[in-house]
């Protein structure tokens, strides 16, 4: 694996078998693509895996649960607990529209869904410090969900800072970090090629790279996650 990243066969300290919170260093880094591919991979292994979007803003056109359902070929693979139209942080979107948005309702919906399925793949909203509701942020929901976190990051210059800050914030709240995915990795620059190894040394996390994928094909998205993340990540009797 180029970039000194951990290989697809690397052992992991934390698996996603009992659920995982897919968090990002920012909005638009690839949380949904990774969530969709991981959920599809778990389901093809026979796991009762369901992706959970706690609150979708910018809806429509943004529809992360719909993307996961399309990749997995079934609406049963994803659930969206709340939708808001403004393409903003949830707390800001709710203020703009005057709609009520209660943190306890969001947290309760997430924990209910986590309890109701074998493997919940919960996707964050933007990055960790995004205002969610009632003065709480996405990071509070991650901590309350009591799941390990998988961090999705950009691969290019600038990601060292964002990724190290994100991992530090998770660990300061006692959230185990499964690893880091450097997404849309092409290795086209010295920064890209060195970033995975530097992130591993900065965070003591395994780092995997996922290349640009054909996101028009659900199969290619699942293939792209299965081929670049370790099977040990799935936990249980992963082959
Ligand atoms: N590995 C990849 N290969 C090709 N395109 C990708 C890849 N990862 C993400 N994308 C594209 O980049 C854009 C942003 O990805 P995505 O929607 O997954 O980000 P996100 O972190 O979930 O964003 P948000 O914060 O809005 O939920 C999308 O158009 C997606 O199809
Ligand atoms: C609109 C789209 N659904 C995005 N996921 C919303 C992300 C809010 C990010 C807020 C911020 O960090 O400035
Ligand atoms: Mg998303």
């Amino acid at each position: 694996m180029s970039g000194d990243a951990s290989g697809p066969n690397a052992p992991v300290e934390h698996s996603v078998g009992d659920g995982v919170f897919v968090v990002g260093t920012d909005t638009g880094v690839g949380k949904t693509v990774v969530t969709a591919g991981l959920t599809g991979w778990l389901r093809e292994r026979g796991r009762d895996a369901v992706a959970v979007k706690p609150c979708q803003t910018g809806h429509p056109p943004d529809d992360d649960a719909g993307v996961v359902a399309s990749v997995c070929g079934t609406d049963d693979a994803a659930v969206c607990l709340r939708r808001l139209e403004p393409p903003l942080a949830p707390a800001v979107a709710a203020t703009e529209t005057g709609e009520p948005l209660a943190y306890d309702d969001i947290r309760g919906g997430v924990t209910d869904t986590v309890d109701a399925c074998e493997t919940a793949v919960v996707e964050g909203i933007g990055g960790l410090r995004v205002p969610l509701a009632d003065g709480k942020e996405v990071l509070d929901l991650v901590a309350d969900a009591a799941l390990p976190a998988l961090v999705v990051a950009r691969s290019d210059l600038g990601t060292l800072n964002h990724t190290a800050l994100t991992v530090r914030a998770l660990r300061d709240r006692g959230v185990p970090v499964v690893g880091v995915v450097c997404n849309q990795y092409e290795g086209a620059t010295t920064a890209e090629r060195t970033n995975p190894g530097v992130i591993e040394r900065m965070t003591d996390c395994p780092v995997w790279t996922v290349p640009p994928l054909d996101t028009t094909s659900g199969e290619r998205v699942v293939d792209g996650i299965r081929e670049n993340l370790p099977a040990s990540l799935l936990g249980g009797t992963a082959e």
Side-chain angles (χ1 to χ4, degrees):
M1 178 72 60
S2 53
D4 296 329
S6 299
N9 300 316
V12 292
E13 187 179 349
H14 303 285
S15 82
V16 304
D18 294 328
V20 64
F21 213 119
V22 179
V23 303
T25 57
D26 193 2
T27 184
V29 295
K31 296 187 299 293
T32 299
V33 168
V34 171
T35 295
L38 182 59
T39 303
W41 184 17
L42 284 158
R43 293 178 69 91
E44 75 179 16
R45 298 277 193 177
R47 305 289 181 81
D48 169 27
V50 176
V52 186
K53 185 72 175 184
C55 182
Q56 176 71 65
T57 60
H59 181 276
D62 293 0
D63 181 11
D64 292 354
V67 170
V68 175
S70 173
V71 165
C72 296
T74 171
D75 289 345
D76 293 344
V79 61
C80 181
L81 302 180
R82 184 69 189 274
R83 295 175 175 87
L84 293 168
E85 186 276 330
L88 300 166
V92 182
T95 300
E96 288 296 305
T97 62
E99 294 176 78
L101 184 66
Y103 176 78
D104 288 344
D105 291 347
I106 296 171
R107 183 184 59 186
V110 168
T111 51
D112 288 350
T113 309
V114 168
D115 293 343
C117 67
E118 179 184 4
T119 305
V121 185
V122 189
E123 180 188 343
I125 303 111
L128 290 180
R129 295 291 316 265
V130 169
L132 185 51
D134 295 329
K136 300 279 191 176
E137 301 174 354
V138 169
L139 178 56
D140 294 303
L141 184 61
V142 179
D144 287 345
L147 296 174
L150 177 65
V151 177
V152 181
R154 293 188 177 93
S155 290
D156 55 3
L157 188 66
T159 201
L160 295 179
N161 171 57
H162 298 156
T163 307
L165 284 168
T166 297
V167 171
R168 170 70 61 86
L170 291 164
R171 290 205 172 122
D172 285 352
R173 295 295 296 275
V175 177
V177 180
V178 173
V180 174
V181 171
C182 285
N183 191 28
Q184 300 204 64
Y185 177 91
E186 297 183 272
T189 65
T190 303
E192 274 202 55
R193 289 189 293 274
T194 55
N195 279 341
V198 175
I199 290 170
E200 282 198 338
R201 290 188 288 279
M202 291 179 78
T203 64
D204 195 25
C205 285
V207 175
W208 305 289
T209 60
V210 170
L213 304 173
D214 173 6
T215 55
T216 64
S217 160
E219 284 184 35
R220 297 290 79 72
V221 169
V222 176
D223 290 346
I225 298 303
R226 183 193 324 105
E227 290 163 6
N228 291 284
L229 272 62
S232 55
L233 196 64
L234 302 189
T237 57
E239 296 83 56

